[in-house]
Amino acid sequence: MKTPALGSILFGSADPARLHAWYLAALRPEHFGDGFIDFGGVRVLFEARDDVAPAAAEPGRVIFNFHVEDARATAAHLDGLGVTWLVEVERREAGLFGTLVDPDGNYLQIIELSREYLAAARR
């Protein structure tokens, strides 16, 4: 059996329009107007659901990792939008990492992996 591919993620939200607009402004991904936002081949859809609270009850349960070319420039852009940082961009063994909170309280990280880490991972 062929390994299934992760094609999309559905974010349940009490205010999907707000969340959709926030992700467009925050991460500036490709968007084709069909409701989905494409993040490097994984499509994300924000959908109204009546079985979710307005804020994530356990925001650390799933953390969305967005790999970026320049974490500091991305952080500066996000600061301009007034985001809430859980952990500001910091150097870790594998590169630069920062964790922020979206309007629904979900955690997401921006990650800039170091050349050294990427070289070692290819071995």
Side-chain angles (χ1 to χ4, degrees), residues 20-33:
H20 184 269
W22 186 88
Y23 274 85
L24 286 176
L27 298 170
R28 300 177 286 197
E30 286 196 51
H31 179 248
F32 303 104

Side-chain angles (χ1 to χ4, degrees), residues 24-97:
L24 286 176
L27 298 170
R28 300 177 286 197
E30 286 196 51
H31 179 248
F32 303 104
D34 65 351
F36 283 92
I37 299 175
D38 189 291
F39 290 104
V42 175
R43 293 165 43 101
V44 173
L45 179 66
F46 302 96
E47 181 177 89
R49 297 189 54 97
D50 60 8
D51 61 345
V52 297
E58 295 180 303
R61 182 174 291 270
V62 176
I63 299 175
F64 298 93
N65 294 326
F66 291 91
H67 293 248
V68 299
E69 291 183 12
D70 186 335
R72 298 217 187 274
T74 302
H77 167 71
L78 293 166
D79 285 339
L81 298 175
V83 303
T84 300
W85 291 97
L86 187 65
V87 178
E88 291 192 19
V89 173
E90 64 184 9
R91 181 158 301 283
R92 297 184 189 169
E93 186 176 333
L96 297 173
F97 290 72

